[in-house]
Amino acid sequence: MIPRTHRQFQLAARPEGYPKDSDFRMVESPVPEPRPGEFLVRIVYLSLDPYMRGRMSDARSYVPPVALGDVMEGGTVGEVVRSSHPGFAVGDIVEGRLGWQEYAVSSGKGVRKVDASVAPISTALGVLGMPGLTAYFGLLEVGQPKAGETVVVSAASGAVGGLVGQIAKLKGCRAVGLAGSDAKVRYITEELGYDAGINYRTTDDLDAALSGACPTGIDVYFDNVGGRITEAVSRHVNMFARFAICGLISQYNLTELELAPRNERFVLVNRVRIQGFLVFDFAARYKEGLAELTEWVQDGRVRYREDIVDGLERAPGALLDLLQGRNFGKMLVRVGPDPARSETSRSTSR
Ligand SMILES: NC(=O)c1ccc[n+]([C@@H]2O[C@H](COP(=O)([O-])OP(=O)(O)OC[C@H]3O[C@@H](n4cnc5c(N)ncnc54)[C@H](OP(=O)(O)O)[C@@H]3O)[C@@H](O)[C@H]2O)c1
């Protein structure tokens, strides 16, 4: 039964510092009717991602922000429930950026079908979706790791970081991760195969911890956080090290940015290459990346963890959890029942 109305979250205000509940407004709207060439999707999972903080702000970025009063942007997986589109049938599972809402109409642009027999459909937002592709191309193409090298990853237990260390291991590297709790450090070393982990929140001497974990120095740094962690890493680099700048989450909610890393001398003396990237730089190669990631997930060479909250109404709080490091794995909101979820799912729900 398709209801007549559904819930949506609009952006109500641009946050100062960390977002708060009043920056979002939940509204009840009519469920839209698909026109010829369109289909209606019941959203099952909404992905929460750090980039959303940037979309809430009107600071200049690589894409325009969400306008005040518009539905919050977000990646989703859902089920087609009505279709007037020749390429999409009722029952198809699809992934696309359909936003923080329970139903959405799509023309199919930017939407892909998800094969529910390959893996849980939620993975299309994680290990087999945008974060997975970010880890894959960011490490392999930007970081260019070689067997025997040391790869350091920040936010190492997260959606992107959890995968980066595992790919580094598959390529014969030493993988060292930084994470914000002892449980996360245990997870990356005991379950994901990282060689060493550092709890950057509790260590009193990050330099000593990095020296201990990286006895031959650092060749590749996959940076998810920026700021002081990046500055500490810069003091341990080897000649011709590569920094793949993926994200700067430690800076996203600051009202005044940290001036770190402060010492460019490490770049000059060690001929370091620092390169930022956005996952869609590799859009032409997504198929190739997804094919290999799917193989690795299916044969168990790559593991992943999801952190699922139930109910669209919890999305603002869960976004804040993500931005403050209270997520443990890929942060998702289950907006409605998952038609394909098996009882043996490896995800944690809360
Ligand atoms: N370039 C691209 O195309 C692209 C695509 C996707 C994601 N990203 C970036 O990749 C990074 C990771 O994204 P994700 O989706 O995988 O998120 P995630 O790692 O699953 O979750 C974010 C994690 O960031 C860490 N964190 C939060 N505040 C921090 C702080 N002040 N200092 C250090 N760490 C902090 C927390 O882990 P701890 O508890 O370990 O601190 C938190 O769990 C983000 O920076 C994101 O913007 C970039």
Side-chain angles (χ1 to χ4, degrees):
M1 268 284 286
I2 300 167
R4 291 160 55 108
T5 62
H6 74 129
R7 299 180 302 168
Q8 305 174 305
F9 267 113
Q10 299 174 343
L11 180 63
R14 302 213 180 275
E16 282 278 319
Y18 283 101
K20 45 190 185 314
D21 283 350
S22 57
D23 297 329
F24 304 89
R25 180 171 44 237
M26 187 178 248
V27 296
E28 189 95 17
S29 304
V31 170
E33 199 51 54
R35 291 172 304 187
E38 293 181 340
F39 53 93
L40 178 68
V41 179
R42 176 180 72 79
I43 290 167
V44 178
Y45 293 103
L46 165 67
S47 175
L48 295 180
D49 296 272
Y51 75 79
M52 289 171 172
R53 178 62 186 83
R55 297 290 199 282
M56 296 176 79
S57 147
D58 56 9
R60 186 175 161 265
S61 190
Y62 51 91
V63 285
V66 175
L68 291 175
D70 275 6
V71 173
M72 273 293 295
E73 194 177 317
T76 60
V77 161
E79 180 184 20
V80 176
V81 289
R82 257 182 207 149
S83 183
S84 302
H85 188 298
F88 291 86
V90 169
D92 282 351
I93 303 293
V94 293
E95 182 267 333
R97 304 174 73 80
L98 301 181
W100 291 32
Q101 52 190 341
E102 292 174 312
Y103 285 86
V105 147
S106 168
S107 65
K109 189 163 176 264
V111 168
R112 66 173 165 130
K113 288 190 197 177
V114 172
D115 182 351
S117 70
V118 163
I121 62 173
S122 53
T123 58
L125 297 171
V127 66
L128 299 181
M130 184 276 284
L133 292 164
T134 303
Y136 183 87
F137 289 112
L139 179 65
L140 297 178
E141 297 300 324
V142 185
Q144 303 200 339
K146 293 169 200 64
E149 290 188 330
T150 295
V151 175
V152 170
V153 186
S154 49
S157 74
V160 174
L163 187 52
V164 174
Q166 296 182 81
I167 299 175
K169 291 303 297 174
L170 288 173
K171 299 296 170 188
C173 298
R174 176 173 175 80
V176 174
L178 292 125
S181 74
D182 290 344
K184 288 180 176 180
V185 167
R186 270 197 306 279
Y187 167 68
I188 63 168
T189 51
E190 291 171 14
E191 290 190 43
L192 300 187
Y194 271 83
D195 297 285
I198 299 169
N199 180 344
Y200 71 91
R201 285 188 202 268
T202 55
T203 183
D204 344 310
D205 187 344
L206 200 46
D207 277 303
L210 283 167
S211 298
C214 310
T216 58
I218 296 169
D219 302 290
V220 177
Y221 175 45
F222 192 102
D223 189 6
N224 284 314
V225 305
R228 297 189 185 287
I229 292 178
T230 304
E231 177 157 334
V233 167
S234 72
R235 291 191 283 268
H236 299 266
V237 294
N238 289 332
M239 205 69 93
F240 300 108
R242 284 82 67 201
F243 279 33
I245 308 294
C246 174
L248 303 170
I249 196 166
S250 75
Q251 310 295 295
Y252 294 169
N253 296 284
L254 299 183
T255 44
E256 205 164 309
L257 295 186
E258 283 175 352
L259 291 177
R262 290 170 294 191
N263 175 13
E264 281 182 307
R265 195 177 137 81
F266 84 95
V267 181
L268 175 67
V269 173
N270 300 293
R271 289 75 140 183
V272 174
R273 176 164 61 73
I274 301 182
Q275 187 183 333
F277 71 96
L278 294 170
V279 61
F280 41 75
D281 298 339
F282 300 96
R285 295 178 56 197
Y286 283 173
K287 252 197 178 147
E288 172 198 332
L290 280 178
E292 188 151 38
L293 287 168
T294 302
E295 222 179 280
W296 288 342
V297 167
Q298 285 189 312
D299 68 16
R301 272 185 286 175
V302 152
R303 305 175 68 157
Y304 63 93
R305 182 178 175 121
E306 298 172 328
D307 188 343
I308 302 179
V309 301
D310 274 299
L312 181 64
E313 66 284 357
R314 294 176 68 190
L319 179 62
L320 186 61
D321 283 351
L322 173 75
L323 294 172
Q324 295 189 331
R326 285 190 295 270
N327 65 310
F328 196 164
K330 171 66 204 142
M331 186 89 244
L332 297 167
V333 177
R334 187 163 26 221
V335 176
D338 178 342
R341 194 92 191 169
S342 80
E343 289 307 308
T344 56
S345 141
R346 278 174 282 178
S347 308
T348 51
S349 286
R350 57 176 162 125

